[in-house]
Amino acid sequence: GDSVTQMEGPVTLSEEAFLTINCTYTATGYPSLFWYVQYPGEGLQLLLKATKADDKGSNKGFEATYRKETTSFHLEKGSVQVSDSAVYFCQAAGNKLTFGGGTRVLVKP
Amino acid sequence: DTEVTQTPKHLVMGMTNKKSLKCEQHMGHRAMYWYKQKAKKPPELMFVYSYEKLSINESVPSRFSPECPNSSLLNLHLHALQPEDSALYLCASSQASGEWETQYFGPGTRLLVL
């Protein structure tokens, strides 16, 4: 069946550090891929998405590229802020909707 | 208006109670979803409605009963819940579910079953 694997957190960084969160998926066909962010006490918000191979999604300084050959959709940001502290979820939307386990990110001043 | 609203924000209920969660969107979306999220876990899909018809039920126990009265509203009726049903219940909507689209999530209802 479909599955999404994310690196386990928590990931603790200092402000202005580089952030990478790995995401790999297993799915039949060509799923659309999403990154969602969840701030404490809130629902999920779309961060970015990509619908086909080699597409790059970007938003608020975050980027992820749909890599079909490695079945990956790693999230990156070049310089994180304290306000980026949240839980990040990777989602594959193919035959079904599948979330990864989530990665908690804590950015310290 | 890109907002999904959920009421109530918090709910405490006993195992013999009957209660309902409500979700509303005015974005013209035709797909609506219920998810259950336990602490430090990803959301688990429960139900999907597409054009007001139930299209996906992820083998959810019958003590959870969804209802979609119209294209803007989604309810989740709760009856005879167990303490392990305590969780954050998230509603989401999207343009349609024929091809999976971006989901817009509400803030959730935090449910405690005593």
Side-chain angles (χ1 to χ4, degrees):
Chain A
D2 295 5
S3 67
V4 175
T5 303
Q6 286 181 238
M7 57 191 292
E8 286 203 25
V11 174
T12 304
L13 303 162
S14 298
E15 251 188 330
E16 299 183 5
F18 186 87
L19 171 68
T20 299
I21 304 176
N22 290 343
C23 170
T24 56
Y25 67 90
T26 303
T28 49
Y30 302 100
S32 294
L33 300 172
F34 301 84
W35 276 102
Y36 287 89
V37 59
Q38 186 174 31
Y39 298 102
E42 298 184 12
L44 280 68
Q45 302 173 27
L46 176 72
L47 189 56
L48 52 84
K49 68 177 184 181
T51 56
K52 59 184 189 297
D54 300 325
D55 265 3
K56 178 188 278 190
S58 61
N59 185 28
K60 299 181 182 179
F62 289 90
E63 291 184 343
T65 301
Y66 191 142
R67 301 285 187 204
K68 181 166 160 290
E69 62 277 9
T70 53
T71 62
S72 64
F73 193 53
H74 304 322
L75 183 68
E76 297 181 336
K77 185 175 186 183
S79 176
V80 293
Q81 305 300 313
V82 172
S83 56
D84 294 323
S85 298
V87 181
Y88 293 82
F89 291 98
C90 183
Q91 184 193 52
N95 289 337
K96 54 187 297 188
L97 295 171
T98 307
F99 277 102
T103 302
R104 186 173 302 273
V105 173
L106 177 60
V107 181
K108 296 187 174 180
Chain B
D1 183 2
T2 58
E3 194 179 19
V4 175
T5 58
Q6 289 187 244
T7 54
K9 283 189 176 4
H10 301 275
L11 179 62
V12 180
M13 60 186 291
M15 290 189 282
T16 57
N17 292 158
K18 283 186 182 181
K19 296 285 184 185
S20 296
L21 309 185
K22 181 180 169 182
C23 173
E24 196 164 2
Q25 57 87 16
H26 295 287
M27 294 178 276
H29 289 170
R30 303 311 300 268
M32 295 186 79
Y33 310 75
W34 280 116
Y35 285 89
K36 174 183 177 180
Q37 187 179 26
K38 302 283 272 185
K40 299 189 179 182
K41 295 291 186 184
E44 299 171 37
L45 185 64
M46 299 174 73
F47 303 105
V48 181
Y49 273 83
S50 179
Y51 293 88
E52 296 147 60
K53 291 194 184 332
L54 184 64
S55 60
I56 294 176
N57 176 345
E58 292 284 3
S59 304
V60 179
S62 59
R63 56 186 184 269
F64 295 91
S65 175
E67 179 196 19
C68 190
N70 61 57
S71 60
S72 301
L73 275 177
L74 185 66
N75 297 321
L76 186 63
H77 303 296
L78 314 173
H79 173 53
L81 294 194
Q82 304 296 310
E84 59 264 29
D85 296 322
S86 299
L88 181 68
Y89 287 84
L90 293 166
C91 173
S93 69
S94 66
Q95 291 277 8
S97 62
E99 287 188 9
W100 298 113
E101 302 268 354
T102 299
Q103 295 179 295
Y104 292 79
F105 284 82
T109 293
R110 194 162 296 280
L111 174 66
L112 177 62
V113 182
L114 300 177

